[in-house]
């Protein structure tokens, strides 16, 4: 339970950071921001890697594999798409 | 086609129908231009400048007889002949009778006053150009005759209050008068019967004077004002009296096409003004908006200076001629495309402006004024 | 690799995510920000691969390669215009991954038989619920935007009631899972119910409101990741997830505010946007008019080398001349070339624009006549049309029947981008619609002229 | 003390020395005021307004004989007597000889022209007030006579180029002329020998014309220009010729106190100007800056309109009188504190302005001009 | 109270601290922010008192009462002008407390004999070091500002060398403590060395640079608290401490930037500020002129109900009239009453200001004459003098010898705050210094007129 | 050591929050901010309370007592002074 509170603390602090950082983003960058943060939400990939690699059961491995694929699509696609969007903002 | 530009003969007229600057646009399309010697002198365009732009100079009036088109400012029929085309101001709506004399010469006359107020005719709209100059000059005249200054100045010798200017009738000239008076630092208010004008007045930074009059149908489809009955004008005068009394300068431009200008300022209202005030009556050529202004004169009555000078555009002949010439040139290029005028064309611009032809008055509105004659 | 080092690396990755998002606060740093985010992700994944608990890499590598290939192809192939549905789709995958990971963790715990911590089961239930809603909701959003299913709001009687019931059963199942964590069935049932909920929540929302929904789902996917973090006791997941969660919520709020609607209204309001403008105008404008915020325009202006102002009657009506001059000066100070294109009949009297611009002290040299300026538009980055309409109406060139046919106009449509400032789509003096407003390179900025320009000034100052 | 205000007798003078508005400040300090009937009429201040503010009206000039102080605009010695004090413009530096005649009357005369240019005398500085009005009016006159418009206008009938205005000599009148011309929309440039003027010209939004002339010591301690030798003026003319030729309007105000105005525009330079251009010579009362302007007249020479009208402040008599009256009243309140004038005071303002006393010219600068007589 | 609840309460307190600091970002919310911070502190203390480990309350209550009494008396009695040294003193106490707590924890650990975690001993050493420097450095700063010791920089040969040696020995002792945590002697030696270091670091800094030092010490006290948090394994201490640490560092940076100096220069540069302006002017201005940033002025304007603009020749020279009008309009839109006070001889020609203000479209009604406006200054919140000098020079009233004696002036000095915009302290037309610029209620904003007003516009927009 | 990383994480996040929050504070409020954050740094009070209350040894108690006094002065004085400063910003 001690641990839970610490974890919660981290959660709360991260929310604060998120809030402060995001409110500074100008409206034009909202779309790239959405897609960029979407890519970050693919962080579940880390969990997926563990699930698929620890090979407890076939089921976990299968679930893990699917999760890895899903999360990787999210991560790779997300960062690339964001990059493409941002390229439009470059000085011509 | 050969265009001839006579020297204007109307007394005090200093404008000229074509200026050297527009000649290339005409000669480039195959027109030739013949200028009566000294025609542009009074406006600041010596013969030499015309020659430099490719015109020939006619030593006398008689040498113009051969031209196909006579371009003039104040139309005067002298020397016209059958087959000739004449373009200029002929004042057909106020003096339709004189038009019959013009028609009798057999020439085809185009009246610049009758230019339709449609978008594509804007660059031929000489009434607008001349009104622009008249509006500006009205304010300069007022500033000259006013015993005060226009702008507010706060100085070590006290504060000079700004002149209060009231503009009645806010067409082209009225708007320009407002803008000019505002530039000089006057406090400007204005009134017009047409409801659309309110926003326009504000768009040049002046205050619109709201009078509780019914003005719903005051604008015709061409953007001109409709005539109102005398009871309307009476009520308008009553309501305006207070504003007029408080003003240092009143500039009137109210007009209704084809009618005598409405009387909006009576002698009684003039008496109510402070000594030294100035009224500039731009409607004077249509009879005046003030019943005691004297055409062509500056008079003082009841301590108020009444400016009734005529033909203000001619007091800035350089720019007035430049604008008029642009209008005329654009018009000629429009009606005589390909070096020939198609009198049967259904073109609205040609139809509306063509006044006389083959000895007849052909313009419908003028014919109507003449009693269908 | 010892767990301490792994955790330290996770901390570094978390910091990179934060810095990455911070980078998004300016166009100049945004690209770098995105790269920092990606770098954080790379570190996180590489470090995880070094975890001692991993015994086989085949599945992992296979999954990574497959996923990366699909993701890259999707990202590269997609049309710029299809970005919204792309984001929706990717987002869905993220939510799906959460469901799967939480499921796997549950199975593991069951297999290990070491007993279930309440904290962990609660988190697992939340993962399943939020992840499921995200996955299926995103799929529906994708389908709508990609025109695979109707873009209109699908509404049927009793929809709200049904949704409420489904939501209730979801809660019930979640509680069930916490009480009986050893039952995999409850888990999958929960996922199934979450799917229905996701579909129900999204299907009733019109195409125009989709961006709001996507943003909300984005937030959910973050929360799902966070929940997974609680499941796996992984701080990095918690941090990254909550960053995304916060970002999504804020964006959703901002969007709702911009649409002048509450979130509730968007989610439960049903029906799409109301139709705009009147009869004939509809053919010209119908759905093709794009409007922009001052900030977006400011970004364009920030990098513009030549800006042409085209003033018209609306500038006069709103007396915006002083503001316009201030903006012009600001842009000049930033190194742009600024020109005023004055049409001969702009306004309502000859010289109307001259009077006003002179009042505002715009130097005469900056005013160019139509003939001079028209050939310059093709080398113009941004034309700002402020309260002009007829004088920039291309119909004058194309439709001989139009009342303004034959009037020479200012060829603003030739410039790279046209910004039109006016209050509405109403016509000008001539009373006819203006196809310029619906052109591809036109952005409308609907506002009173003076206010609009002042807003632009503020935005340009911000942007730099 | 009783202040008398005679009706001005100088031909064409419409100003009056006191206006009703300043009377309370005087009567509040124990002064009484007697106004010759009709004195304020031409400026727009009828007798009744004076009476309303507590003045008495004198039916004829003779009734003013008893006053202690004569307040006037254009000083004229008629009717003065020993023991009387007179305040007004006496032009002592250009026509010192006439001052001896004034002195002979035995009255003590204060010359408003000699007001020192120190901060606390600013509110009594009538030269500045009058120059303000003259500068404004110069532009109005130019606008009236110019065959062009001042502002730039882009219209359907072509673009009207703005008038190019060149102001030579930028003292008080020059600055006001610049400001007014800019308001009307002209493109204004200006030149003055005093180096400090550059910044002032820019502070009213005009362009300073840089001439490569040595002007280090051109300003005296009082802020006036120093006279230069003829070779300087010759070089100045040469350098200005191009600017003058390119200008539509030239307004000259260059003056050096106590000297004839320098000739800065020659006939040759006038010939170089475009036809229709206008020169307004504000220095005409000091002989003129242009050698062919005719004092009191508007003439056209070589196609250029030369405006040499005198006494421009009198053409805006209402505000000119208001400012002048404020200057006079402040001055009287200053020198006659407590109802008595202390002629022995060391006060700089009194010392500098006191022209004659006890039959003698006492002002040092004027005495010097008279050859120490 | 169970530890979980206590920790949850600590989390709440931490959040309150964050929200409290957030409140400081606007004057309107600052008071509330401060209260939130205090509330967080209250929660933290109360919850701690419920800790099961506490067996006796006497000492605690006694200490609390004593400390609260001293703190309250100090805070209430202190003059507003003595605020800086007050902050320094309070700050020192915070640092001192850290030293003591860490020391106590060390003793406890020694007594308990349970062995020492490296992490904990490192943190203890840091607490002792940072806390000691903070405590003694703050005391010196306090002494200097309170004139107990000389305000000048005390510099002696070899000072830097000495400091370096002391710092080195501090590091040595810290390492020693980590290696031999059971030795209390090392701990106290470390504190002693930290004291010397604190004194050395502060004594060499001039009075004008003190605020920078205080800000830096403030940051240290935060870091000390954070270190104590590591010692006690208390997240709240860590969070609160790092907030303060970050805040102090940022403020220090900003101040250095504003003084156009590097931190190194401030800390090791020695010597006070350079003298300003020339001969006679020195008597008038010497050290009394305060200058302000646009942001500070904007905050003043934000809450002003009446603002009077006083334009002078400098407005004309910089052609700032358009900008001035824009600022006036902005303030009016925010609900302030805006007046232009036009002095009869402002500028260089009669009516100079009128011409310019009319050009900028300032309505005539807003222009007031001197006689009308003078009685209004005493009810004016902010007067903005833009490029005027002689016409607002109070010397005209007070010194009969002055060249402007007897000229009526605008009594701007009567208004609550006067902001003077000009480029320097140079005199105006009359060539004399102006004591207004050194008045207590005057803030100078040195800049070109037009630029200054534009900066103000941006700042006012920001501030709201 | 696991714990240390978690604690570090909290530290880093808090620094981020602090940075984001403080950079938004306008210059006029810098002085109250300094004094307010100074008050918060008195949080050591919590540690002091524990030290003086647990009564391990006389030494710890004494140290704890002194720490409580010091920290309380900091906290109470800090918040009060800040409040006084802020009162000056109120709309009059
Ligand atoms: N110059 C002349 O001498 C003259 C004389 C008479 C007629 N005209 C005619 O007038 C027209 C001039 O063209 P134009 O392009 O200048 O004007 P326009 O075509 O009349 O269009 C003006 C536009 O300004 C917008 N507007 C009005 N008030 C506004 C405000 N407060 N803020 C922002 N926008 C505002 C209006 O749209 P919203 O309502 O959507 O805001 C309107 O569409 C031409 O058709 C010309 O023929 C000219
Ligand atoms: N109105 C008249 O008719 C008239 C005629 C002749 C003389 N005067 C005299 O002129 C004076 C007028 O008083 P005033 O208060 O208006 O002006 P002032 O006393 O001359 O002071 C003007 C101030 O503006 C500042 N300034 C100059 N350029 C600037 C710029 N670009 N940006 C910001 N500030 C700038 C200058 O200080 P910095 O250099 O530090 O910036 C200067 O101190 C009086 O002494 C009056 O007697 C008036
Ligand atoms: N579309 C175009 O191309 C075009 C071109 C030029 C002018 N116009 C429009 O035509 C309109 C008329 O222009 P104009 O100057 O030639 O008009 P005008 O000279 O015929 O009349 C001057 C003004 O007097 C007003 N007036 C009439 N009776 C009045 C009364 N009793 N009291 C007060 N005002 C009264 C009229 O409304 C008009 O505004 C203008 O609004 C102008 O914008 C349109
Ligand atoms: N301090 C005060 O109280 C106060 C009051 C009023 C005026 N002044 C100053 O006094 C100065 C003179 O004012 P004024 O208008 O009565 O002067 P003025 O009428 O005597 O002369 C007009 C201008 O002509 C200029 N001039 C002379 N020779 C010239 C030449 N060869 N070429 C070009 N220009 C030439 C002068 O420099 C002057 O600016 C102004 O600068 C004004 O600011 C000061």
């Amino acid at each position: 339970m001690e641990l839970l509170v610490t974890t919660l603390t981290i959660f709360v602090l991260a929310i604060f950071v998120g809030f402060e950082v995001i409110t500074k983003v100008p409206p034009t960058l909202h779309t790239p921001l959405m897609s960029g943060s979407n890519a970050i939400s693919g962080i579940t990939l880390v969990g997926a890697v563990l699930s698929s690699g620890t090979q407890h059961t076939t089921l976990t491995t299968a679930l893990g594999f699917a999760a890895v694929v899903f999360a990787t699509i999210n991560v790779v696609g997300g960062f690339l798409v964001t990059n493409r969007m941002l390229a439009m903002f470059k000085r011509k | 086609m050969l265009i001839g530009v006579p020297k204007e003969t109307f007394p005090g007229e200093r404008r000229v129908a074509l200026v050297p600057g527009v000649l290339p646009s005409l000669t480039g399309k195959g027109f030739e231009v013949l200028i009566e010697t000294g025609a542009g002198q009074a406006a600041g365009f010596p013969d030499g400048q015309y020659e430099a732009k490719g015109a020939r100079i006619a030593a006398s009036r008689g040498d113009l007889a051969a031209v196909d088109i006579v371009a003039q400012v104040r139309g005067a029929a002298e020397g016209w002949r059958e087959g000739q085309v004449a373009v200029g101001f002929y004042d057909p709506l106020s003096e339709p009778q004189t038009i019959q004399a013009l028609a009798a010469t057999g020439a085809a006359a185009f009246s610049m006053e009758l230019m339709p107020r449609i978008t594509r005719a804007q660059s031929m709209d000489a009434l607008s150009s001349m009104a622009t100059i008249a509006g500006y000059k009205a304010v300069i005249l007022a500033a000259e005759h006013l015993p005060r200054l226009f702008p507010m100045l706060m100085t070590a010798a006290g504060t000079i209050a700004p002149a209060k200017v009231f503009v009645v009738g806010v067409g082209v000239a009225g708007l320009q008068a407002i803008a000019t008076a505002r530039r000089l630092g006057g406090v400007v208010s204005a009134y017009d019967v047409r409801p659309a004008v309110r926003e326009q007045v504000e768009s040049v930074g002046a205050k619109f004077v709201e009078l509780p009059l019914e003005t719903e149908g005051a604008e015709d489809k061409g953007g001109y004002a409709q005539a109102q009955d005398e009871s309307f004008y009476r009520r308008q005068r009553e309501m305006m009296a207070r504003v007029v009394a408080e003003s240092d300068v009143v500039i009137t431009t109210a007009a209704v096409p084809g009618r005598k200008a409405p009387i909006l300022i009576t002698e009684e209202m003039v008496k109510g003004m402070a000594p030294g005030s100035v009224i500039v009556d731009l409607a004077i050529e249509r009879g005046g908006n003030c019943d005691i202004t004297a055409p062509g004169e500056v008079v003082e009555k009841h301590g108020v200076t009444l400016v009734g000078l005529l033909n203000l555009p001619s007091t800035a002949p350089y720019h007035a001629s430049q604008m008029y010439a642009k209008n005329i040139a654009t018009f000629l290029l429009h009606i005589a495309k390909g070096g020939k005028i198609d009198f049967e064309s259904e073109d609205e611009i040609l139809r509306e402006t063509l006044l006389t032809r083959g000895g007849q008055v052909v313009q419908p509105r003028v014919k109507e004024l003449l009693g269908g004659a | 690799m010892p767990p301490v080092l792994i955790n330290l690396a996770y901390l570094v990755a978390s910091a990179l995510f934060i810095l990455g998002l911070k980078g998004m606060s300016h166009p100049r740093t945004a690209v770098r920000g995105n790269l920092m985010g990606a770098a954080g992700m790379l570190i996180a994944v590489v470090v995880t691969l070094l975890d001692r608990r991993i015994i086989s890499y085949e599945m992992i590598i296979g999954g990574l390669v497959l996923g990366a290939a699909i993701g890259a192809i999707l990202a590269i192939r997609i049309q710029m215009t299809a970005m919204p549905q792309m984001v929706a789709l990717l987002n869905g995958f993220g939510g799906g991954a959460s469901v799967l990971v939480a499921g796997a963790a549950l199975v593991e715990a069951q297999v290990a038989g070491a007993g279930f911590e309440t904290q962990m089961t609660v988190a697992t239930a939340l993962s399943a619920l939020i992840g499921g809603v995200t996955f299926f909701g995103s799929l529906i959003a994708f389908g709508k935007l990609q025109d695979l299913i109707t873009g209109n709001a699908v509404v049927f009687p009793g929809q709200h009631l049904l949704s409420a019931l489904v939501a209730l059963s979801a809660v019930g199942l979640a509680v069930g899972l916490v009480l009986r964590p050893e039952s995999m069935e409850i888990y999958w049932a929960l996922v199934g119910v979450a799917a229905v909920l996701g579909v129900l929540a999204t299907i009733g929302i019109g195409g125009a409101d989709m961006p709001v929904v996507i943003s909300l789902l984005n937030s959910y996917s973050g929360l799902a990741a966070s929940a997974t973090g609680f499941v796996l006791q992984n701080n990095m997941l918690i941090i990254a997830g909550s960053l995304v969660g916060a970002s999504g919520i804020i964006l959703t709020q901002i969007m709702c505010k911009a649409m002048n609607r509450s979130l509730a209204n968007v989610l439960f309001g049903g029906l799409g946007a109301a139709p705009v403008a009147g009869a004939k105008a509809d053919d010209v404008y119908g759905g093709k008019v794009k409007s922009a915020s001052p900030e977006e325009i400011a970004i364009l202006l920030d990098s513009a080398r030549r800006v042409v102002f085209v003033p018209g009657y609306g500038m006069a009506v709103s007396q915006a001349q002083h503001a316009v001059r201030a903006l012009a000066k600001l842009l000049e100070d930033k190194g742009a070339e600024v020109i005023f294109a004055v049409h001969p009949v702009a306004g309502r009297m000859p010289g109307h624009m001259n009077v006003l611009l002179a009042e505002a002290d715009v130097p005469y040299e900056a005013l160019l006549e139509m003939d001079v300026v028209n050939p310059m538009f093709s080398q113009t980055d941004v034309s700002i049309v402020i309260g002009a309409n007829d004088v920039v109406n291309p119909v004058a060139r194309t439709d001989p029947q139009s009342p303004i046919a034959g009037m020479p106009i200012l060829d603003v449509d030739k410039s790279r981008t046209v910004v039109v400032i006016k209050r509405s789509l109403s016509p000008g003096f001539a009373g006819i619609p203006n196809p310029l407003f619906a052109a591809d390179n036109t952005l409308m900025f609907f506002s009173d002229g003076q206010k609009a320009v002042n807003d632009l000034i503020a935005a340009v100052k911000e942007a730099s």
Side-chain angles (χ1 to χ4, degrees), chain A, chain B, chain C:
Chain A
M1 283 310 263
E2 280 286 305
L3 194 62
L4 176 62
V5 176
T6 304
T7 323
L8 255 184
T9 306
I10 290 178
F11 178 70
V12 169
L13 284 174
I15 295 274
F16 267 114
V17 173
F19 181 84
E20 293 298 326
V21 168
I22 304 301
T23 45
K24 279 187 188 155
V25 177
T28 5
L29 287 171
H30 281 169
T31 315
L33 168 66
M34 200 199 284
S35 118
S37 67
N38 174 31
I40 292 179
S41 78
I43 189 69
T44 346
L45 177 53
V46 167
V49 165
L50 286 178
S51 301
S52 79
T54 43
Q55 299 209 316
H56 278 268
T57 67
T58 329
L59 181 57
T60 58
T61 312
L63 286 175
F65 175 75
V68 169
V69 175
F70 273 28
T72 312
I73 295 177
N74 186 356
V75 167
V76 173
F79 282 118
L80 281 180
V81 161
T82 311
N83 209 36
R84 272 188 67 191
M85 284 186 205
L86 289 173
M88 295 197 304
F89 284 96
K90 288 240 186 76
R91 248 175 208 273
K92 289 136 212 164
Chain B
M1 289 174 104
L2 180 61
I3 305 172
V5 178
K7 190 166 165 170
E8 295 293 315
T9 54
F10 192 87
E13 182 57 70
R14 295 167 66 196
R15 290 171 290 179
V16 59
L18 288 180
V19 302
V22 302
L23 297 190
S25 69
L26 291 167
T27 52
K29 294 283 183 192
F31 289 93
E32 286 176 280
V33 181
L34 187 63
I35 309 276
E36 182 178 347
T37 180
Q41 189 66 43
F45 304 100
D47 288 352
Q49 290 188 13
Y50 286 98
E51 285 179 300
K53 295 283 181 184
R56 283 180 295 126
I57 304 297
S60 78
R61 186 70 180 232
D63 296 352
L64 289 182
V67 301
D68 303 306
I69 300 173
V70 181
Q72 50 192 171
V73 182
R74 296 273 192 154
E78 17 161 350
W80 288 8
R81 59 166 172 75
E82 178 111 34
Q84 232 175 10
V85 170
V87 183
F89 283 131
Y90 299 103
D91 204 2
L93 296 182
S94 356
E95 304 189 43
Q97 288 73 14
T98 65
I99 305 303
Q100 282 177 313
L102 293 183
T105 63
F110 289 95
S111 163
M112 292 301 277
E113 283 101 336
L114 298 174
M115 190 64 64
R117 288 242 155 134
I118 55 175
T119 301
R120 68 198 165 91
Q122 279 177 307
S123 49
M124 316 169 198
D125 182 358
L127 279 188
S128 282
S129 339
M130 295 306 109
T132 299
I133 296 190
Y136 164 82
K137 270 287 181 165
V139 175
I140 300 295
L141 281 174
E144 206 212 321
H145 290 288
L146 192 68
R148 301 162 163 263
L149 309 194
F150 262 59
M152 177 197 242
L153 297 177
M154 290 161 147
T155 79
T159 293
I160 289 189
K164 291 199 270 309
V165 180
F166 181 39
V167 177
V168 188
V170 189
V172 179
L175 274 178
Q176 197 61 246
I178 293 174
T180 310
R182 286 241 325 137
R183 287 187 118 141
L184 267 182
V187 174
V188 186
S189 53
Y191 177 72
D192 196 295
V193 278
R194 291 182 296 120
V197 170
R198 184 205 176 88
E199 191 186 56
Q200 295 177 13
V201 165
E202 286 162 0
S203 83
V204 281
K207 201 173 133 285
F208 188 77
V209 174
E210 208 69 72
L211 299 184
L213 287 167
E214 177 55 60
T215 53
E216 265 308 304
E219 179 159 343
D220 74 7
K221 52 178 190 350
Y224 285 111
Q226 302 273 33
Q228 308 284 337
D229 57 13
E230 182 48 31
S231 82
F232 178 95
Y233 292 133
R234 205 190 52 245
R235 278 187 300 130
Q236 184 179 351
R237 284 192 297 265
E238 281 163 15
M239 289 168 187
M240 278 181 9
R242 198 187 45 79
V243 190
V244 168
E246 283 169 0
S247 301
D248 300 311
V249 173
V250 175
I251 295 175
T252 65
T253 81
V256 180
R259 303 260 190 159
K260 203 181 150 311
I263 297 293
L264 301 175
I265 317 259
T266 59
E267 181 155 13
E268 211 48 49
M269 289 161 82
V270 172
K271 282 188 194 153
M273 296 178 79
S277 305
V278 176
I279 296 178
V280 181
D281 193 345
L282 280 188
I284 192 72
E285 319 219 6
R286 297 273 160 280
N289 290 136
C290 170
D291 62 357
I292 55 171
T293 36
E297 283 178 53
V298 179
V299 294
E300 200 192 300
K301 283 189 190 159
H302 312 298
V304 175
T305 306
L306 300 158
V307 180
L309 297 180
L310 296 163
N311 200 2
L312 288 190
S314 176
T315 66
Y318 184 92
H319 278 146
S321 303
Q322 180 191 314
M323 292 176 91
Y324 185 70
K326 183 85 193 290
N327 295 143
I328 288 277
T330 316
F331 178 69
L332 290 178
L333 289 169
H334 178 75
I335 59 166
K337 280 195 200 87
K340 234 191 111 299
I341 299 177
D342 172 13
F343 285 101
E344 306 315 319
S345 154
E346 279 309 311
D347 177 61
E348 185 180 359
I349 295 176
L350 185 138
R351 282 262 74 77
E352 291 275 322
T353 51
L354 182 57
L355 196 58
T356 68
R357 183 151 188 253
Q360 297 294 316
V361 175
V362 295
Q363 217 280 350
R365 274 160 75 204
V366 181
K367 263 163 61 183
E368 193 179 309
L369 283 176
L370 288 169
Chain C
M1 203 168 177
V4 182
L5 284 190
I6 292 186
N7 283 330
L8 269 181
Y10 281 171
L11 180 54
V12 170
S14 305
L16 282 172
F17 292 148
I18 296 175
L19 292 173
L21 288 181
K22 263 176 77 72
M24 288 292 177
S25 53
H26 198 280
R28 263 196 282 286
T29 54
V31 174
R32 198 189 331 137
N34 190 44
L35 290 179
M36 286 173 100
M41 191 59 78
L42 191 68
I43 293 179
V45 173
V46 168
V47 159
T48 309
L49 289 177
L50 300 178
D51 196 297
R52 270 178 258 166
R53 284 170 288 171
I54 295 180
I55 31 186
S56 144
Y57 284 93
E58 289 125 52
M59 296 308 274
I60 300 180
I61 304 291
L64 283 175
V65 170
L66 182 59
I70 300 178
I73 290 171
L74 280 179
I76 291 164
R77 284 273 175 84
I78 196 93
Q79 299 278 317
M80 251 1 214
T81 46
M83 281 296 168
Q85 49 265 52
M86 178 69 186
V87 173
L89 192 63
L90 294 175
N91 195 33
F93 285 129
S98 289
V99 173
L100 296 171
V101 172
L106 190 66
V107 173
E108 244 171 75
Q110 289 164 348
V111 173
F116 302 92
E117 276 191 61
T118 320
Q119 169 192 352
M120 194 256 182
T121 44
V122 170
T124 307
L126 283 177
S127 282
L129 186 57
I130 305 178
V133 169
T134 306
F135 183 62
F136 290 96
S138 296
L139 285 187
I140 296 291
F142 172 75
K144 284 200 170 217
L145 288 172
Q146 191 73 355
D147 281 338
L148 300 179
I149 51 180
T150 170
N152 290 337
V154 175
V155 230
F156 50 87
Q159 190 171 21
H160 289 341
L161 184 67
L162 180 61
S163 302
L165 286 179
V166 175
L168 220 70
S169 59
V171 172
L173 284 169
V175 172
L177 186 65
V178 174
L179 297 179
R180 291 193 47 213
E182 65 283 355
S183 153
M184 237 10 234
E185 290 72 33
I186 301 189
Y187 185 80
W188 292 121
L190 183 57
V191 172
V193 171
V196 177
L197 202 57
V199 172
L200 277 176
T202 332
I203 197 95
I205 296 171
D209 291 339
M210 264 310 147
V212 180
V213 176
I214 295 180
S215 170
L216 195 64
L217 290 172
N218 188 24
S219 169
Y220 288 170
S221 77
L223 293 178
S226 225
T228 312
F230 278 90
V231 172
L232 302 178
Q233 279 302 335
N234 184 320
N235 290 335
M236 178 180 57
L237 254 69
I238 297 177
I239 295 175
S242 33
L243 286 178
V244 176
S247 136
I249 292 275
I250 294 172
L251 286 182
T252 310
Q253 265 182 348
I254 293 176
M255 284 182 189
C256 285
K257 222 173 183 175
M259 294 165 70
N260 220 347
R261 292 168 68 189
S262 71
L263 183 57
N265 181 291
V266 172
L267 294 183
F268 308 119
L271 293 167
V276 220
K280 225 181 102 200
D282 237 19
D283 310 343
V284 177
Y285 302 133
K288 282 176 281 177
V289 174
K290 290 181 296 298
S291 81
S293 71
E295 288 77 17
E296 289 170 86
I297 300 169
I299 304 259
L300 285 170
L301 290 174
D302 198 44
S303 58
R305 275 161 316 173
R306 178 186 282 164
V307 178
V308 177
F309 283 91
V310 180
Y313 183 54
M315 181 188 83
V317 171
S318 69
Q319 291 281 297
Q321 62 269 28
H322 294 281
V324 166
R325 174 188 164 276
L327 177 57
K329 203 151 172 300
L330 186 62
L331 296 176
E332 264 177 357
D333 290 348
K334 293 170 81 83
E337 177 193 6
V338 176
I339 290 170
F340 287 79
V342 181
H343 190 279
V345 301
R348 289 290 182 277
M349 70 167 187
H352 202 160
M353 298 301 116
N354 295 104
V355 171
L356 299 173
L357 294 175
E359 178 191 323
D361 227 13
V362 174
Y364 283 155
E365 299 77 47
L367 312 187
L368 296 190
E369 290 180 64
M370 185 168 57
D371 302 343
V372 180
V373 80
N374 264 348
M376 299 167 76
F377 278 113
S378 55
Q379 293 97 271
T380 296
D381 299 301
V382 184
S383 289
I384 304 183
V385 176
I386 153 140
N389 190 338
D390 297 345
V391 301
V392 292
N393 193 338
V395 155
R397 287 191 304 238
T398 53
D399 175 6
Q401 296 314 309
S402 146
I404 61 168
M407 174 171 82
I409 63 151
L410 287 165
D411 301 335
V412 282
D413 49 344
K414 305 260 162 72
S415 43
R416 205 187 311 279
T417 310
V418 185
V419 173
V420 178
I421 299 173
K422 62 200 295 285
R423 296 164 305 181
S424 63
L425 285 175
S426 11
F429 186 81
I432 49 171
N434 189 337
L436 173 74
F437 305 159
D440 270 352
N441 57 341
T442 298
L443 294 174
M444 300 299 294
F445 179 2
F446 293 114
S447 167
D448 172 74
Q450 188 178 124
K451 182 166 178 319
V453 179
N454 279 325
D455 290 350
L456 271 185
I457 292 176
V460 169
K461 286 203 175 146
E462 281 282 278
S464 55

